[in-house]
Amino acid sequence: MARPDKAAAVAELTDQFRNSNAAVLTEYRGLTVAQLKQLRRSLGENAQYAVVKNTLTKIAANEAGITTLDDLFNGPTAVAFVTGDPVESAKGLRDFAKDNPNLVIKGGVLDGKALSADEIKKLADLESREVLLSKLAGAFKAKQSQAASVFQALPSKLVRTVDALRAKQDEQGGAE
C-alpha cells in the first residue's frame, strides 16, 4: 500500500501534467540553490520548475496519459511545467543552459507530443506567440491595403479612359 504522502505527491504531479501545455525535463546535477532560484526566475511567470522524484513523476506522467517520457526519468530530474507560452520558457531554459552547462535539457512534451532536447532548443528559437500573431496581422493588413489600392485604381482608370475617349471624339467631331 502506498504511503499517503507519496500518493498526494503523485496526485499533485498528475494535476500539473494535466494542467500544463508543456513539460520539460532537465538534469540539474551540480547547480547550486542560488542558480536554481535564478533558473526559476528566467523561466517566466507561466512556468513552475520543480525538483522531482523519478519514480513518483513517472507514475504521475503515466496517470496523466504521458508515456513518452519514461526513458528520461534517470539521474537527478527537475520538471518545468509550462502553463502559458512554451516558447518563453524554452528560451529561458536554453539561455540558462548556455551560461550554466550543468543544466542538461533531457526532453519534454508539448500538447501531448514528445519533444527531444533538440526540438526544445528549436522551439526556443521561435518568436513568441504574440510576435507571430502581430506579424500575421500586419501581413493581412498589408494585403488589404494592396486590395484597396487596386479597387481604387480601377474606377479612376475607367474615368481617365472615358475622358480620353470623349476628348478624342470632340477632336474628331470638331475636325469634321
Side-chain angles (χ1 to χ4, degrees), residues 3-4 24 27 39 52 57 67 70 77-78 89 91 97 107 113 148 150 171:
R3 292 192 346 221
V24 180
E27 183 175 320
L39 173 59
V52 295
T57 309
T67 58
D70 288 352
T77 303
S89 298
K91 284 181 184 185
K113 181 187 177 290
V150 167
E171 286 176 14

Side-chain angles (χ1 to χ4, degrees), residues 17 25 57-73 108-109 112-114:
F17 274 113
L25 275 66
T57 309
K58 187 175 180 179
I59 293 169
N62 288 331
E63 284 183 11
I66 302 169
T67 58
T68 55
L69 301 176
D70 288 352
D71 296 339
L72 303 178
F73 292 112
V109 63
K113 181 187 177 290

Side-chain angles (χ1 to χ4, degrees), residues 78-156:
V79 181
F81 294 103
V82 183
T83 55
D85 185 12
V87 173
E88 179 186 355
S89 298
K91 284 181 184 185
L93 284 168
R94 179 200 59 195
D95 295 344
F96 188 86
K98 281 181 186 176
D99 297 335
N100 301 283
N102 288 335
L103 180 74
V104 177
I105 299 172
K106 296 180 178 183
V109 63
L110 174 65
D111 293 328
K113 181 187 177 290
L115 296 176
S116 68
D118 289 336
E119 290 172 323
I120 291 171
K121 291 174 185 167
K122 287 179 185 174
L123 180 66
D125 292 336
L126 290 176
E127 293 174 330
S128 71
R129 183 176 189 271
E130 289 76 21
V131 171
L132 292 174
L133 286 174
S134 65
K135 284 185 176 183
L136 181 65
F140 281 141
K141 184 178 178 186
K143 290 297 178 188
Q144 288 176 343
S145 297
Q146 288 173 348
S149 359
V150 167
F151 292 137
Q152 286 177 341
L154 289 175
S156 62

